[in-house]
Amino acid sequence: MSAPLVIAGAGIGGLSAALALARAGRRVLLLERAPKIEEVGAGLQIAPNAGRILAGLGLEEELRAVALEPAAINVRRGHDGAVLARLDLAGTRARYGAPFRVYHRGDLQQVLLQAADDEPAIEIRTGARVGDFEDCDGAVRLRVHAGEGVEEIAAAGLVGADGQRSAVRGHLLPTERDAPVYSGLTAWRALVPAESAPAALRARESNLWMLTGAHVVHYPLRGGEIVNVVVIVATPRQDDQAAVLSLDGAALARALHGRRPAPMLSALIEAGAVWRHWPLFARPPLSRWSRGAVTLLGDAAHPMVPFLAQGAAQAIEDAEALGRAFLTLGASVETAFSAYEKSRIDRASRVVRASRRQGDYFHLGGLGAVGRDLAIRALGGRGMLARNDWLYRQPRGQSAT
Ligand SMILES: Cc1cc2nc3c(=O)[nH]c(=O)nc-3n(C[C@H](O)[C@H](O)[C@H](O)COP(=O)(O)OP(=O)(O)OC[C@H]3O[C@@H](n4cnc5c(N)ncnc54)[C@H](O)[C@@H]3O)c2cc1C
């Protein structure tokens, strides 16, 4: 039997890529470093650009069962809660071909994992860390660390979907200034039982609150039983080890006090029993993702700050483009990888840059914030949604679903 395509990393990117490649008729070996495939973190917004692709992979029924479709996104002034714009999401499916959904990360990953498990062309191995590799004569020999041992595996091609600290990228592009750096921003994440959240914040809607140097996003999950809350705050340089740090709600609310959050927002933050600390890393876009029969996908290729809620969505777009490259170009891995990169790099790079700008916009203070709030009111919900047409509409060349 010919060598499979190997994917390093079974995050949302790697699992989606495995499915897209299998649907394109390729055999896939998916190697995951962790002993068990499970998502850390809590909620994930899946915008229509990614929802369309997941539906195209044949997962619509399973996804609908675990998703929640918020009715609207409320953009709020953080210090008094005033709604500056209400983005009505009811017409999202008609406008973009898929609804705007939110998921518990674990639920979305389980749907992808189950589909990959059911797919005979995909083999999944956990506890298998991809180490270094050689790419020679259109094939890849990689070393995989499993338990105490190291195994050599022959692959037709290697896809590094191994996240922002990608080992594959480290071997592939050792000379680029490519290591993600701390963005100066930290996320605090918590799941709040709905009955503990202020009553006015329990609706099936998403909310964005803008404060000076900080913003908060929250939305309901799992039928509205829990509220996923993310607080993003400008924070001086962190020791990476601090990623495991946690705070209780009262302590986090105290830390934000100087940014003058509205009482209702403070009450929501206080209602979170455990807040997990998540330093945000990013990097200017790379100029290439591939060399020979090795390529990158998802956060390994384009780590970004999460202010357009597009990191996973872009990984899913990568997966679709990778599958399409094999479907339309046939057997040569190098040709397919090169076509995949060409079709994706400009768009993903644009999203990386736009995500950073979006954070700066959310965090304005003083007169800048006043001008921003006036502009948002003038645009209104429709205008605000239309600003994301370029993201949510089907890019040229993407497979219709
Ligand atoms: C606070 C926050 C909120 C966010 N919200 C959103 C949102 O609402 N919507 C959205 O679209 N995106 C969002 N994102 C971004 C999104 O979480 C990521 O972009 C996405 O999860 C990246 O998926 P991935 O598969 O590329 O990488 P990862 O999820 O990092 O997966 C990489 C996998 O590779 C494995 N691995 C690592 N090294 C190796 C190795 N050497 N060998 C084998 N396996 C390896 C890891 O164990 C892991 O399972 C958010 C991010 C943050 C921080």
Side-chain angles (χ1 to χ4, degrees), residues 279-364:
L280 299 178
F281 288 76
R283 179 202 54 205
L286 290 172
S287 55
R288 60 189 292 194
W289 297 351
S290 313
R291 201 179 58 219
V294 183
T295 195
L296 302 172
L297 179 144
D299 275 8
H302 42 69
M304 63 182 81
V305 286
F307 310 138
L308 283 172
Q310 279 287 319
Q314 290 303 303
I316 292 167
E317 282 199 13
D318 292 345
E320 185 277 340
L322 194 58
R324 177 160 37 88
F326 278 97
L327 212 49
T328 51
L329 291 170
S332 161
V333 173
E334 288 196 27
T335 312
F337 281 2
S338 154
Y340 149 71
E341 173 184 317
K342 195 154 174 276
S343 72
R344 286 289 303 141
I345 195 163
D346 287 350
R347 177 169 160 90
S349 302
R350 184 176 173 198
V351 179
V352 169
R353 287 189 286 264
S355 299
R356 182 72 228 202
R357 283 197 303 276
Q358 186 83 341
D360 295 341
Y361 187 66
F362 289 164
H363 288 193
L364 286 171

Side-chain angles (χ1 to χ4, degrees), residues 88-258:
D88 187 341
L89 299 178
T92 321
R93 185 189 292 274
R95 189 178 174 109
Y96 303 119
F100 194 101
R101 285 177 169 162
V102 293
Y103 294 89
H104 192 290
R105 280 173 183 260
D107 295 345
L108 174 58
Q109 196 179 37
Q110 281 310 307
V111 169
L112 294 170
L113 180 58
Q114 187 59 54
D117 262 340
D118 293 345
E119 173 58 69
I122 301 174
E123 182 192 345
I124 304 175
R125 281 168 57 184
T126 53
R129 178 173 65 81
V130 172
D132 59 350
F133 53 83
E134 286 109 40
D135 172 19
C136 42
D137 298 333
V140 185
R141 295 204 72 77
L142 51 127
R143 269 154 301 275
V144 177
H145 303 254
E148 301 290 288
V150 180
E151 186 187 344
E152 266 212 5
I153 291 185
L158 172 63
V159 180
D162 48 347
Q164 42 174 266
R165 308 299 176 86
S166 170
V168 175
R169 188 205 54 229
H171 293 299
L172 187 67
L173 303 170
T175 57
E176 296 248 13
R177 288 191 8 250
D178 64 348
V181 290
Y182 177 59
S183 64
L185 297 158
T186 281
W188 292 91
R189 303 162 111 178
L191 289 175
V192 176
E195 66 269 17
S196 311
L201 302 182
R202 292 181 203 161
R204 292 166 78 95
E205 298 186 342
S206 290
N207 285 275
L208 161 71
W209 304 65
M210 296 178 294
L211 296 159
T212 304
H215 71 279
V216 180
V217 173
H218 62 90
Y219 46 84
L221 293 176
R222 291 196 168 147
E225 284 170 22
I226 43 178
V227 185
N228 177 68
V229 195
V230 185
V231 175
I232 311 277
V233 61
T235 313
R237 186 154 184 94
Q238 302 283 322
D239 177 352
D240 199 17
Q241 294 306 316
V244 289
L245 220 87
S246 67
L247 279 182
D248 67 23
L252 183 59
R254 267 198 309 281
L256 290 172
H257 187 70

Side-chain angles (χ1 to χ4, degrees), residues 7-24:
I7 300 176
I12 287 166
L15 284 164
S16 304
L19 289 168
L21 288 170
R23 306 287 198 261

